[in-house]
Amino acid sequence: MAETSTHPPITRVPAARDVLELLKPITWFPPMWAFLCGVVSSGVPLGDRWPFLIAGILLTGPLVCGTSQAVNDWFDRHVDAINQPERPIPSGRIGGQWGLAIAVIGSVLSALVAWVTGPWVFVATLVGLALAWAYSAPPLRLKINAILGPGAVALSYEGLTWFTGAAVMAGTLPGAPVLVILLLYSVGAHGIMTLNDFKAVEGDLATGVRSLPAMLGIDRAARVACLTMLLPQLVVVALLLRWDHLIVAGVVALLVIGQLAAMVRLLRDPRAMTPWYAATGVSMYVLGMLASAFGLGGVWGL
């Protein structure tokens, strides 16, 4: 009688295309955009900062953001088996412990690159990595909390990456106006993260994830998300006016009005219109971020 092996089955090395899919390059754009806002808001000419700029782009995009996607997919593999079974891990294209290994390797690489880029970038990167793991991994698993989950993602995607861009260029802690504006846009991004939860309501309800759409229903959650996006931007406009960035304040105000118009359409059917709003309202939101950065950086006297 043949012995039964107690060793776990050996899984093949994942294909490069499946690893890339796991890291979700499409999600790298928001943090890289916020990083660009940080660079502009610093008001520092590129000069000899190019190596640091390239390191920052790698950090905010493929390294930290890509790692966060791997972490999330590994700890969400059971939820994804319900919501999106075609993803690399639940489909078996990335088998065994490879998903976890990719997340760990990405975390180590991110920390190493941040270490050589600068102390404030290193601190921001460690905070971002900690939030990525806390968001998805037990025992904290912040994503099951309707406030802390989207808040962690919003802070990582918008605030910390903006901070990284400004710190990379200035080589020191960014000034108070930059810190205030990036925090306000991070708060507003909480609403954007709530919209992203609409597509996973069924899986969230089945697995106990207490997202706002799962708790409040999609219609009420959409209204909360809209208010969350709007109110911080109004404060941004007020601060820009106070700091005599009149042209930029006007541009941001017009973009807020455009978002209001888009929100009216979104609220008629939030689930169906969320992809449309992501292409219109969210685009206006991030354009407002960049406009604010131009003002803070004193670009063209704005």
Side-chain angles (χ1 to χ4, degrees):
M1 180 172 163
E3 290 186 12
T4 301
S5 174
T6 58
H7 296 289
I10 298 174
T11 57
R12 63 180 177 82
V13 177
R17 65 179 180 278
D18 294 326
V19 174
L20 187 63
E21 183 180 341
L22 178 70
L23 302 181
K24 301 185 188 69
I26 194 172
T27 66
W28 303 349
F29 174 75
M32 290 172 73
W33 180 272
F35 175 81
L36 172 64
C37 291
V39 169
V40 173
S41 70
S42 72
V44 177
L46 288 179
D48 60 356
R49 304 297 292 175
W50 277 103
F52 297 95
L53 179 65
I54 293 170
I57 291 172
L58 290 174
L59 271 172
T60 54
L63 288 175
V64 175
C65 184
T67 296
S68 72
Q69 299 302 325
V71 172
N72 184 64
D73 274 25
W74 171 254
F75 288 104
D76 265 12
R77 59 196 185 279
H78 305 303
V79 178
D80 288 340
I82 299 171
N83 290 326
Q84 294 173 294
E86 73 282 359
R87 283 186 169 181
I89 294 177
S91 69
R93 287 180 286 131
I94 295 182
Q97 301 288 310
W98 274 107
L100 179 60
I102 292 168
V104 171
I105 292 169
S107 297
V108 173
L109 284 175
S110 298
L112 289 174
V113 172
W115 174 258
V116 299
T117 305
W120 285 108
V121 175
F122 181 62
V123 170
T125 298
L126 291 185
V127 173
L129 290 170
L131 288 174
W133 284 88
Y135 176 78
S136 300
L140 292 179
R141 199 159 165 77
L142 298 179
K143 73 175 300 173
I144 66 174
N145 185 291
I147 304 300
L148 296 180
V153 177
L155 180 60
S156 298
Y157 272 45
E158 307 295 348
L160 287 174
T161 49
W162 186 317
F163 178 95
T164 299
V168 158
M169 296 305 296
T172 186
L173 182 68
V178 172
L179 296 177
V180 170
I181 295 299
L182 70 84
L183 284 174
L184 285 168
Y185 275 111
S186 297
V187 172
H190 191 291
I192 299 174
M193 300 306 128
T194 297
L195 296 182
N196 290 339
D197 288 335
F198 289 174
K199 64 180 181 297
V201 174
E202 289 77 12
D204 289 347
L205 289 171
T207 55
V209 175
R210 296 172 60 82
S211 65
L212 276 181
M215 291 173 59
L216 302 179
I218 288 179
D219 289 343
R220 291 176 64 191
R223 291 194 289 272
V224 171
C226 289
L227 283 174
T228 304
M229 288 183 281
L230 279 175
L231 294 179
Q233 291 182 89
L234 295 178
V235 178
V236 168
V237 172
L239 288 174
L240 291 171
L241 287 171
R242 181 179 179 84
W243 296 333
D244 293 326
H245 300 304
L246 304 184
I247 296 176
V248 170
V251 170
V252 176
L254 288 174
L255 289 168
V256 171
I257 293 170
Q259 290 169 69
L260 271 171
M263 286 173 183
V264 171
R265 186 175 180 185
L266 169 70
L267 293 176
R268 291 173 187 160
D269 188 352
R271 173 170 264 175
M273 296 307 299
T274 291
W276 173 84
Y277 186 83
T280 54
V282 174
S283 295
M284 287 186 274
Y285 185 94
V286 299
L287 285 173
M289 290 172 54
L290 185 57
S292 300
F294 275 117
L296 291 171
V299 180
W300 301 322
L302 298 175

